Amino acid sequence: MPRRLMLLDTASLYFRAFYGVPDTIRRADGTPVNAVRGLLDMIARLTTDYGATHLVACWDDDWRPQWRVDLIPSYKSHRVAEVVVGAPDVEVVPDALEAQLPMIRRVLDLAGIAVVGAAEHEADDVVGTFASHAGFPVDVVTGDRDLFQVVDDARQVRVIYTARGMRNLEVVTDAVVVGKYRVLPEQYADYATLRGDASDGLPGVAGIGEKTAASLLGEYGTLDGLLAAATDAGSGLSASERAKLAAAADYLAVAPAVVKIVRNLELPTLEEAGAQLHPVVGGARAELERLATEWNLGGSVRRLLEALDGNVGFHN
């Protein structure tokens, strides 16, 4: 069986699980377990359906890195619950989900699933680094279109896009990105910079929407090429477009560094991280089965264990 790496944008998935599974599902002490159950079912299905042999749950060690905020202060500012000096700010997370995060980490650990984060960086950056350096095909699972910038048919990197739900997963390749946005994946970060993204607090360039951004990048290739054209009197750029770009000069000087996913973090290798999937045996399996009962995780633990048992043939 050929090797295939799956990279989870873990927060994207556990938020989706939390809102997609009724929070009336609780353990004996009243703590909801809907996000735990939902995430485990997602992992069981995804690894089986897409033939993953290696898996990394990429983690937000810092969901809003200060270096990005220093460049664009509005970056994710609407999601800040509490500003913390000298440490990552506290994100707005429902209490009922926050209570489940230690359980999620515990179950992933017992299942032998690698969890990797990086100081002062988001899970997207961990995804970008692994995806850019893996020596075999990669599936990135996310509901965040920012990660479309890592799609690369030549390197066999694609996105399994969850925005329409787990029953309507979309496999995003070069052609899908072009079909959706009329830009290539390698142009996507420049496109997002121009267009902006209210969900991330990125203002974009006033007066330049999706269609204009795509058209300009189709004409000039990159943001750098577009900005060079804006200062070239002989280019075909209109006076109106020059004025819009000039008005956004300060933003455009810093936004690319915020929008572009980091691809060169110093991370453990897949082997060091323990990314290769394997059946859960011995004490870890017994503890998982015990927690399945104690925490009211229903059949989710069983389905995960069966999915990992099914991977045994990949590693003989």
Side-chain angles (χ1 to χ4, degrees), residues 3-85:
R3 295 185 300 171
R4 178 173 287 277
L5 171 63
M6 180 167 282
L7 301 170
L8 306 181
D9 177 8
T10 315
S12 169
L13 297 184
Y14 63 61
F15 267 96
R16 176 164 294 279
F18 176 75
Y19 288 110
V21 179
D23 66 1
T24 51
I25 300 171
R26 297 168 179 260
R27 64 186 194 188
D29 66 0
T31 304
V33 294
N34 56 326
V36 186
R37 276 197 187 194
L39 179 64
L40 297 186
D41 279 334
M42 287 178 183
I43 293 172
R45 178 186 161 186
L46 288 161
T47 53
T48 300
D49 287 359
Y50 294 98
T53 59
H54 294 68
L55 177 69
V56 179
C58 301
W59 205 264
D60 276 322
D61 277 11
D62 191 339
W63 69 280
R64 186 176 182 251
Q66 188 61 45
W67 60 270
R68 282 189 164 113
V69 176
D70 289 344
L71 294 171
I72 298 183
S74 62
Y75 183 64
K76 296 186 177 180
S77 60
H78 59 296
R79 296 194 229 165
V80 176
E82 180 185 349
V83 175
V84 180
V85 177

Side-chain angles (χ1 to χ4, degrees), residues 169-211:
L169 296 173
E170 183 177 18
V171 177
V172 179
T173 59
D174 286 10
V176 173
V177 176
V178 172
K180 283 178 179 288
Y181 303 108
R182 295 192 299 133
V183 296
L184 295 165
E186 57 263 34
Q187 294 174 304
Y188 189 84
D190 286 348
Y191 167 80
T193 295
L194 289 165
R195 177 202 65 203
D197 189 339
S199 68
D200 280 340
L202 298 171
V205 177
I208 294 184
E210 295 194 352
K211 289 183 178 179

Side-chain angles (χ1 to χ4, degrees), residues 62-252:
D62 191 339
W63 69 280
R64 186 176 182 251
Q66 188 61 45
W67 60 270
R68 282 189 164 113
V69 176
D70 289 344
L71 294 171
I72 298 183
S74 62
Y75 183 64
K76 296 186 177 180
S77 60
H78 59 296
R79 296 194 229 165
V80 176
E82 180 185 349
V83 175
V84 180
V85 177
D89 292 336
V90 178
E91 184 178 11
V92 175
V93 178
D95 291 344
L97 174 55
E98 188 77 42
Q100 297 181 65
L101 297 183
M103 286 189 277
I104 288 171
R105 291 294 296 253
R106 176 69 175 144
V107 171
L108 293 179
D109 179 60
L110 286 169
I113 292 171
V115 177
V116 179
E120 300 178 358
H121 286 84
E122 301 171 52
D124 283 7
D125 302 315
V126 178
V127 170
T129 298
F130 277 127
S132 299
H133 299 282
F136 47 95
V138 178
D139 286 330
V140 174
V141 185
T142 185
D144 183 354
R145 58 185 180 174
D146 289 344
L147 280 163
F148 289 175
Q149 63 188 274
V150 305
V151 170
D152 186 341
D153 283 3
R155 297 192 61 255
Q156 296 183 275
V157 178
R158 60 188 188 175
V159 164
I160 310 300
Y161 192 44
T162 64
R164 294 184 299 173
M166 290 297 292
R167 293 182 180 177
N168 296 288
L169 296 173
E170 183 177 18
V171 177
V172 179
T173 59
D174 286 10
V176 173
V177 176
V178 172
K180 283 178 179 288
Y181 303 108
R182 295 192 299 133
V183 296
L184 295 165
E186 57 263 34
Q187 294 174 304
Y188 189 84
D190 286 348
Y191 167 80
T193 295
L194 289 165
R195 177 202 65 203
D197 189 339
S199 68
D200 280 340
L202 298 171
V205 177
I208 294 184
E210 295 194 352
K211 289 183 178 179
T212 303
S215 177
L216 291 171
L217 289 170
E219 180 75 20
Y220 299 103
T222 64
L223 180 59
D224 287 343
L226 174 60
L227 295 177
T231 60
D232 178 2
S235 75
L237 206 58
S238 72
S240 170
E241 288 161 343
R242 291 174 195 271
K244 290 169 183 174
L245 293 168
D250 290 347
Y251 163 77
L252 290 172

